[in-house]
Amino acid sequence: MSAIYKTLLLALITVLFLSIIKLGAQDMMNEFQSRIAVQEQVTNLFVYTDEHQWEKLKEIFAETVQLDYSSFTGQAATELAPEQIIAVWSGFLPGFKSTHHQIGNVMVEIMGEKAKVFAYGTASHYLPNDVAEDFLIVVGSYDFELIKNDDVWKVKSMTFNFKYQDGNTELPKLIQKETEE
């Protein structure tokens, strides 16, 4: 093998190797950006809920959402439009003086145009009252599925996995009673 041929072959191998590294780095960067965007959407879901920013919240959801709180409510999972979810949440959550949803231990898996998210969740509800404690804390975890729609990640499925609650479990009934009056 001539020296020129060896040099050309080595140069070709080097260019191929560097191209593969560059493509791998680009794929890693794309996945990293997707992970950040997905986690941000899930975080925004809870922030917008606590801040009663219903129009912004609507933009987080896909056209329909599989909503499953069955482990907490005993009611079957259901497919809902964002407007239906927001109608329920906006009719109930503002009855509390304050709510605070906190997520942590977030794990994101990207699969092309789909993503799965697991997160621990704690929801604090505060309502001063003369009946009992002012707080209700609900603890569990969430499983989300998101889809990429026009380069924006949207929540397609949301499952709450109830662990326990503490505090005044009558607070939701107090809100319902005030709403009916």
Side-chain angles (χ1 to χ4, degrees), residues 65-158:
V65 179
Q66 174 81 18
L67 192 63
D68 184 356
Y69 278 75
S70 60
S71 67
F72 183 60
T73 64
Q75 296 176 350
T78 187
E79 188 104 357
L80 298 168
E83 296 83 5
Q84 292 173 293
I85 296 169
I86 292 168
V88 172
W89 291 0
S90 67
F92 173 70
L93 292 174
F96 292 101
K97 181 163 182 162
S98 181
T99 61
H100 179 91
H101 291 79
Q102 187 74 44
I103 60 171
N105 297 340
V106 179
M107 297 171 25
V108 177
E109 180 183 358
I110 304 294
M111 302 154 298
E113 301 292 302
K114 296 181 179 181
K116 289 186 177 184
V117 177
F118 170 86
Y120 287 166
T122 301
S124 302
H125 307 82
Y126 175 67
L127 179 66
N129 66 89
D130 297 330
V131 179
E133 292 179 77
D134 296 341
F135 290 94
L136 172 62
I137 310 293
V138 181
V139 177
S141 65
Y142 289 92
D143 291 300
F144 292 93
E145 292 180 10
L146 289 85
I147 56 171
K148 199 170 190 180
N149 186 357
D150 294 328
D151 281 336
V152 177
W153 290 97
K154 303 275 187 171
V155 172
K156 180 70 178 158
S157 174
M158 179 177 177

Side-chain angles (χ1 to χ4, degrees), residues 9 42 90:
L9 185 58
V42 172
S90 67

